[in-house]
Structure formats: C-alpha cells, structure tokens
Amino acid sequence: MAADLAPGRPEAAVPPPAIELRGISKAFGPVQANRDISMRVAKGSIHGIIGENGAGKSTLMSILYGFYRADAGEILIGGRPTQIQDSQGAIRAGIGMVFQHFKLVPNFTVLENVILGAEDGALLRPALAKARKALTELAHEYELDVDPDALVEDLSVGHQQRVEILKALYRHADILILDEPTGVLTPPEADHLFRILRGLKAQGKTIVLITHKLREIMEITDTVSVMRRGEMTATVKTAETSPEQLAELMVGRKVLLHVAKGPAQPGRTVLEVEDLRVRDGHGVERLKGVSLSVRAGEILGIAGVAGNGQSELLEVLGGIARGTGHVRLNGRELDLSGKSCNGRARREAGVAHVPEDRQNLGMIMDFSAWENVAFGYQDAPEYQSNAVFMDNDAVRADCEAKMARFDVRPPTCTLPGKSFSGGNQQKLIVAREIERNPDLLLIGQPTRGVDIGAIEFIHKQIVALRDAGKAILLVSVELDEIMSLSDRIAVMFDGRIMGERDPKATNERELGLLMAGVGERGAA
C-alpha cells in the first residue's frame, strides 16, 4: 500500500493517510465500474492512478468527490470516516477536483469563476474584493499567475487549468484530484503544471493524479496505483517500478512502448497543398501560405505548439473550414471555398478525418455509439435497406464488430457517446474512419486521452494503413508520437511551415527551436 509500517515502529506513530478507501464498489446497471477497491494515499504526497480507458479510475475519483454514491465501501479522510453526499460535501472535507474538461463559464472573468458558488454573502462587491486579495496571494504562493480580470474564453488552455486549481485552493482544498491534467496541454504547459504540483506538495497538499502517460507517472509521483477492469491490481512506490512493469500491470500483458514499423515505401503523390491560406471569423490569417505534399505509403507528421495553424490545416483539408490556394488529391483539384467544400464531398473524394476535438467535431454525444459509427457514412451501401431507409440492424452489427476489433469498453452499441470515456470515444472515431479504406487519412491528436494499450493498438492501425499504400497526415502535440510514427516531419509556427526534417536525423531540441519560430525562416 502507499504507507507501510517500518519494522518495529508502533502503529500509533504513523500519521493517518490523507485518503483511505475501503472496499469501494460501484455498478451502472450490468457494468461493474469499481469492484471492492481499497487504497491509501499518504498526506503530502503525489499519488498516481493509472489504468486503461474504462478501468474505473474516473468513476472512483467521482465517488470521492461526491458525484457518485458508492454501492458499498467506506471513505476515510485524515483517518476519519467521512460521508460525501455531493461535491459540496467533498469541498467541506477539503477535497478539490480539476476535471479533464474544465467546469468554467467562458464569458465570466477569472475572478468571477473562482468565487462562483462561494460568494460568501448576498453582496457581490465585498465578495469580489475579498476574493481578489486571496487570489493574488494564492497565485503568488503557487506560481499560478493569471489575470483576475481576464475573460476565461480569452485564456489559453493552460491558464484555464490554473483557474480550476485556484478555484479549489480558494475553497481551502488540502486534497487535489486532477483527471488527465495534461491531455490538452502543450509540453511547456505540462512542465509548468508539474512545477505547480511540486510546489503544492511542498506546502503539504496531497495530490491525486489520474493519467495514462507513464512518463508523467515516473516523473512526478511518489506512489502509483494501477487499475484494470474496475479492480485495483497493485500499488507500488514509483521509484521501485518501471514504465514497462506499469504497462504490463495496466493491460495484463507485455506492451510495446515504441512504434514498431519498417521503412516507408512511398509511391505517387496523393496530397498536394500550395499556398494555402485561411482566415478565421475575425479576419485573422491563421494559415499563411502553407505548402506541403504527402505520398502514398508514408506518414507526414505536423509538429508544433497548439494554436499555430495545425487545427485550421486539418479543418480546411477535411472540408470543415474554407480557404484559398490549391489542394489536389490524386491530381484532382479540391474545392476550398464553394458549395462542395464540405466533409461529405471530401469523404467521396477519398479523405477520412479523425478530428482533434472528438466531442464537438467527431461525435454527437447524445447519439448512440452505433449512430456515431455511421456518422458521415450513413449513405454507405452496406447501411441501406432500400432507397429511403437505413438498415439500422446492419449499422448496429457493424458497430458491434468495430467495438470488438478496437476493444471499446463497454462493448454496448446502444449507449450514448457521452457514456464512454474519452479514450473509448477516440477508439470509436478511429475505427469509423480508418476502416473506410481512405486514400488520405487526416488524423489529429490520435491518442489524446487514450491509455497505453489503446495507444499501441491505434499506432499499429496507422502504420498498417501506411503499409497498405495510403497517405497519412498526422497532427500531434506529442513530440514522441510525431518522431516515432512519422516518415517525414514538418514543423508549424504562426501559420507557416518552418521546416521539414527526417525523424532519424533530428532531435527534440532542433524541433523545439523550429516550434518556437527559430529556424529556416528565422525568428518570427
């Protein structure tokens, strides 16, 4: 467990753990999300919880935070049995939670978001003045600097996360739960978050970190608990384990942590992009003359810090956004601004698209899994019973087959998309697009929020598609992923291609300089 007694040391001398869970179980209908889970988290430590998507990690922490009630078991906070009926009860117990998808009001200021629900009286002006002073002190103490008067919608993702942490600290949280905190952060933002977490630990705070990234577990945690299929399989000291051992404990088998692929055999040019330009709704130019090409049988990786045009590149190539310039697929000019600039026309031309934002662009969250599997392909011949109606039974059968092949959990095609974890949502989208045998696959952040076993599987599917002679344009903020999957790497900064590199002949430092705008085009 997280805190073992030293030989000969009296039990009374050992401080109680910050959190102790005893025999926690939780089921949702026939699905057993948590089964008889016991865990101890030492006070003033950073305790990691890892496991595959659907292993029950988030459910367990949602029970601790009062979002769910356990069917059985007991929670002790600081050694005292504690009934946590709802999130307010968790806050009173000194627990704060930072969710993977932030719970912020976009058109409120930072200050307004921090005090929302904790106004401390009927008069707002004194509450804001008090909160401003407390916010300034907290921001200085924990390196959480953020403008209290800034609108949340104008902040970067990293700064929005700081607001969530400030919300918890303002409510006097001694225990912080962070659910996949780096899933939407750039590498520099993740590094800054780790500095913040170390500072919180030094101040005596207890951190529970839910993540699927083994590098982060090894870098930041003191102890790690491993979950598999709703059960706790092990709790070990981080210094006494390895990424390989943790991966095997998570998945129940040995996992290949590096992409296994042979050399590319590039053929004809499938995608040609010349002088592509895109403006956003405010008239700001987001793509500034991008030119590139992708050949059959190769993966072109696009590296860069989020917000430098990669999203716009995928969207205009996928028919979601409009632009100017020239894009040719298999030698045929694609419409960039007219009526046929849409996702359906792109799919008919042989383009499949796994978007970066799976919840807003990849799925309809209230629709069932089988409906989402047909999303965009509802006119496919295998889904038609006649000229008027879809064959729903055929779609459901196809969904069940895809769920089995891609190990989607739970394997229930009638559940709505919102009932699946983020990683399982991603598997559904990847299955839908990859199995359409496209000439060109556009894939953005393919393994964001996906567990180690599923990462291995998705990477294999991408490589297999390449080896089948398909062209792949890959966008990822994970440099490890870009360098291991790509046959060529293009780096974007401020809407431009800064340079192109061979992954075998470059390194993270060189790519990092290009990502910062220093390189072939000079400093921006």
Side-chain angles (χ1 to χ4, degrees):
M1 303 304 287
D4 295 325
L5 297 182
R9 186 175 180 182
E11 185 173 355
V14 178
I19 305 166
E20 184 172 3
L21 306 178
R22 296 178 179 172
I24 298 293
S25 293
K26 178 66 178 177
F28 297 95
V31 179
Q32 190 72 41
N34 293 153
R35 187 190 306 277
D36 193 26
I37 290 178
S38 296
M39 181 181 74
R40 302 174 77 194
V41 178
K43 180 176 173 57
S45 70
I46 301 179
H47 192 113
I49 300 179
I50 60 171
E52 293 183 277
N53 298 125
K57 309 181 298 293
S58 295
T59 298
L60 185 65
M61 291 300 101
S62 293
I63 290 171
L64 181 59
Y65 194 61
F67 272 10
Y68 299 140
R69 294 287 303 278
D71 300 331
E74 185 178 21
I75 298 172
L76 289 82
I77 303 298
R80 297 185 300 275
T82 305
Q83 295 291 327
I84 301 177
Q85 307 287 348
D86 51 27
S87 58
Q88 290 301 314
I91 291 168
R92 286 192 295 272
I95 302 170
M97 188 162 181
V98 178
F99 293 88
Q100 184 176 4
H101 301 289
F102 305 145
K103 310 293 184 183
L104 299 171
V105 181
N107 59 347
F108 278 21
T109 66
V110 169
L111 189 60
E112 290 165 343
N113 269 281
V114 167
I115 71 165
L116 187 61
E119 290 83 359
D120 193 25
L123 298 177
L124 192 57
R125 189 183 297 272
L128 287 170
K130 176 184 173 183
R132 184 181 295 276
K133 182 175 183 296
L135 200 60
T136 301
E137 293 171 354
L138 288 169
H140 177 73
E141 184 174 2
Y142 297 112
E143 288 190 74
L144 288 161
D145 296 321
V146 62
D147 180 2
D149 298 311
L151 292 176
V152 162
E153 63 189 359
D154 294 333
L155 298 178
S156 69
V157 173
H159 280 82
Q160 289 183 30
Q161 188 177 69
R162 294 183 201 181
V163 177
E164 286 281 27
I165 295 173
L166 283 166
K167 276 173 57 180
L169 295 175
Y170 181 73
R171 289 159 174 77
H172 308 293
D174 290 316
I175 297 169
L176 271 177
I177 305 167
L178 293 96
D179 189 1
E180 297 287 359
T182 64
V184 292
L185 300 185
T186 64
E189 287 173 331
D191 291 340
H192 186 79
L193 173 65
F194 291 163
R195 289 197 297 273
I196 292 169
L197 296 184
R198 291 188 182 101
L200 289 166
K201 174 187 170 182
Q203 295 289 334
K205 305 293 185 184
T206 302
I207 314 294
V208 179
L209 180 67
I210 306 171
T211 181
H212 68 281
K213 297 182 180 180
L214 296 180
R215 179 186 64 82
E216 294 177 2
I217 286 290
M218 299 304 297
E219 180 177 342
I220 193 69
T221 66
D222 303 301
T223 307
V224 54
S225 293
V226 184
M227 294 184 67
R228 185 167 76 239
R229 297 185 183 273
E231 298 182 351
M232 191 68 71
T233 60
T235 294
V236 296
K237 293 185 183 302
T238 308
E240 297 174 359
T241 188
S242 66
E244 291 77 13
Q245 182 187 24
L246 291 175
E248 188 170 350
L249 286 169
M250 286 169 60
V251 181
R253 60 176 174 81
K254 290 190 179 298
V255 177
L256 188 66
L257 296 181
H258 301 284
V259 178
K261 65 184 179 73
Q265 303 294 330
R268 60 186 173 80
T269 298
V270 173
L271 176 69
E272 297 174 274
V273 177
E274 293 181 11
D275 195 30
L276 182 59
R277 297 175 183 273
V278 172
R279 292 183 181 275
D280 65 16
H282 301 289
V284 177
E285 196 171 32
R286 297 299 184 183
L287 292 183
K288 304 174 181 179
V290 168
S291 297
L292 56 84
S293 65
V294 190
R295 292 171 291 178
E298 74 166 352
I299 300 171
L300 174 66
I302 305 293
V305 176
N308 279 278
Q310 308 97 305
S311 298
E312 288 79 8
L313 176 63
L314 287 179
E315 288 174 5
V316 72
L317 294 178
I320 297 173
R322 298 187 174 192
T324 61
H326 298 280
V327 174
R328 287 180 287 273
L329 185 70
N330 294 322
R332 176 187 170 193
E333 191 89 14
L334 297 182
D335 184 7
L336 300 182
S337 60
K339 290 183 179 180
S340 62
C341 177
N342 56 60
R344 180 173 183 171
R346 292 292 193 269
R347 286 188 292 274
E348 290 174 349
V351 178
H353 183 194
V354 177
E356 293 181 292
D357 187 343
R358 58 176 170 251
Q359 293 197 349
N360 289 316
L361 296 178
M363 300 182 76
I364 300 175
M365 300 306 291
D366 289 327
F367 281 24
S368 66
W370 69 266
E371 290 170 315
N372 274 292
V373 160
F375 189 33
Y377 298 98
Q378 60 270 16
D379 294 330
E382 64 269 26
Y383 290 163
Q384 304 306 309
S385 59
N386 53 49
V388 178
F389 298 107
M390 281 179 58
D391 185 345
N392 291 347
D393 289 339
V395 180
R396 282 190 283 266
D398 183 48
C399 179
E400 289 171 355
K402 284 180 167 62
M403 284 179 145
R405 286 192 294 272
F406 281 73
D407 192 25
V408 177
R409 302 177 193 173
T412 308
C413 68
T414 55
L415 285 176
K418 63 187 178 185
S419 295
F420 295 89
S421 68
N424 281 294
Q425 292 169 7
Q426 186 76 353
K427 290 183 198 176
L428 279 170
I429 297 168
V430 170
R432 180 185 69 207
E433 301 298 329
I434 281 184
E435 295 204 344
R436 284 292 157 183
N437 194 33
D439 292 327
L440 170 68
L441 174 67
L442 309 172
I443 187 162
Q445 318 304 339
T447 57
R448 175 178 283 168
V450 176
D451 64 66
I452 191 71
I455 288 173
E456 179 193 36
F457 181 83
I458 290 173
H459 284 173
K460 284 182 178 178
Q461 301 308 305
I462 294 171
V463 171
L465 201 65
R466 179 204 74 165
D467 292 345
K470 309 301 181 181
I472 298 165
L473 181 68
L474 165 74
V475 169
S476 177
V477 296
E478 303 285 352
L479 267 185
D480 288 346
E481 185 166 61
I482 286 287
M483 294 184 72
S484 59
L485 271 179
S486 305
D487 301 305
R488 291 185 293 125
I489 299 173
V491 182
M492 289 192 71
F493 172 77
D494 192 30
R496 298 182 175 89
I497 300 292
M498 292 299 298
E500 188 176 297
R501 294 291 185 270
D502 180 343
K504 298 186 183 69
T506 189
N507 54 50
E508 290 193 7
R509 182 181 182 278
E510 183 180 26
L511 293 177
L513 288 172
L514 290 170
M515 289 165 63
V518 180
E520 292 174 11
R521 291 179 180 269

